Amino acid sequence: AFSGVTPVPPSAYEIGPGSFQPSSFIGTGPYKLSQIGADLVRLDVNEDYWGEAPANNGLDIQIFSSPANLFNAFRTNTVDIAYQTLDPDQISSLVREAETNNWQVEEAGSTVINYLVLNQAMEPYDNLDVRKAIASLIDRPLLNERVFQGQAEPLYSILPTSFSEYEPVFQEAYGDGDAEKAKAFLESAGFSEANPLPLEIWYISTSTTDGLAASTLEASIERQVPGLVEVTLQGVESATAFENLGDGIYPTFILNWYPDFYDVDTFIHPFLHCDEGSEETGCISGQTQAGGSFYYSDRVIDLVNQQRLESDVDARRAIIAELQQSLIEDVPYVPLWQKKDYAFSQPSVDGFSIQPTQQVLFWQLSKS
């Protein structure tokens, strides 16, 4: 995912057949890429940069294979900054020890959303009442307490709470862990203790938090509606998951979404648009097929396209509000949580901050 595009000087490329050079890196920023590998990206200062020179002489971005490795590297002063992928218990530990070690702590809102996708091309998730029952059973405050130790916030739309267009539509429609409402939907869908709903929840096996969230959901659902829902948990490696997601293999899946740019469209279009399909067949080709929900609605697709073209702020806001209402009417996804961003830096680091887009402005960093 990229937060935007950058200009490229005309002298760096040619237009014409065979002139495209996808393996040639062109940069006009304060750094130049000097090394890239599986666990390291090295940026050197671009001496030809047209703007103000960076406050540092270049930097290394180290990629760790696990949250534990990043956690230990920061605690032993092997890295200057630890950001993203830390588990909740590791974050809590670093926050507790920050004052003693003079570590700097940055806490910021995040635009990364986490949600449960429901595969409408597979029985019994093609039944709207089944999807509504699942939405009613999700207890977001419990997830925040048990899984994230308060380091997240409940999410009730596919839009992050940081957007002014955000409306907590799922909270209003389904609440949190509303067992009675779920029982009514399950009964309407033909499920009972004699015929319980089989609910298979998939998650990324390498994600500690997703695995814990899945286990918490399993215990919570079976406690709320004992005998009515039989939950099965399945973990799979991320590369395999995303390779198979669009093939309709998974009935439900806990996923997250990192925005491509800072606008509501990056949450609307990928979740609700489809290029080919019908309301009878579902999405055959397009965004919702690739995302594993196979959701298709002619009305919703029209609204998605309209909000992309609408230049009037209030008119576009009204369209986005209508789209959020469609989520609770059709329930192709169930929003779960939105994590807070935590980053830690060593005492010697100056100029570190997290942007609303979750970017770090490298050129402002320096060490004293």
Side-chain angles (χ1 to χ4, degrees), residues 217-333:
L217 286 174
E218 177 186 28
S220 173
I221 290 171
E222 293 186 343
R223 174 179 49 79
Q224 292 179 68
V225 285
L228 286 177
V229 180
E230 293 182 348
V231 181
T232 303
L233 304 183
Q234 300 279 3
V236 64
E237 192 267 335
S238 59
T240 302
F242 292 115
E243 181 180 343
N244 295 329
L245 195 62
D247 294 332
I249 292 175
Y250 308 116
T252 78
F253 213 114
I254 297 174
L255 296 170
N256 59 29
W257 180 255
Y258 285 75
D260 295 323
F261 47 88
Y262 198 69
D263 184 81
V264 294
D265 183 67
T266 197
F267 297 93
I268 294 292
H269 191 269
F271 284 85
L272 300 177
H273 196 270
C274 177
D275 297 327
E276 180 185 354
S278 69
E279 297 191 5
E280 290 73 31
T281 64
C283 185
I284 297 173
S285 176
Q287 297 279 9
T288 61
Q289 168 264 326
S293 74
F294 300 88
Y295 175 57
Y296 188 96
S297 166
D298 286 317
R299 181 181 69 87
V300 167
I301 291 172
D302 287 343
L303 290 171
V304 171
N305 293 332
Q306 286 177 35
Q307 65 85 26
R308 282 191 148 188
L309 299 172
E310 183 57 66
S311 58
D312 182 270
V313 174
D314 292 334
R316 186 180 187 226
R317 184 183 296 273
I319 296 171
I320 293 168
E322 189 173 350
L323 284 168
Q324 289 180 89
Q325 286 297 316
S326 73
L327 288 170
I328 60 172
E329 295 168 3
D330 299 334
V331 199
Y333 313 93

Side-chain angles (χ1 to χ4, degrees), residues 167-212:
E167 295 184 8
V169 289
F170 274 80
Q171 184 177 35
E172 297 161 1
Y174 302 109
D176 284 286
D178 192 329
E180 295 307 312
K181 188 173 288 186
K183 289 176 184 177
F185 287 130
L186 289 170
E187 182 180 347
S188 177
F191 292 98
S192 62
E193 290 187 15
N195 178 37
L197 170 70
L199 176 56
E200 195 172 299
I201 300 176
W202 287 75
Y203 63 94
I204 300 299
S205 58
T206 53
S207 170
T208 304
T209 53
D210 286 4
L212 185 54

Side-chain angles (χ1 to χ4, degrees), residues 13-26:
Y13 66 91
E14 295 180 6
I15 297 177
S19 298
F20 181 56
Q21 301 179 37
S23 61
S24 177
F25 185 85
I26 301 169

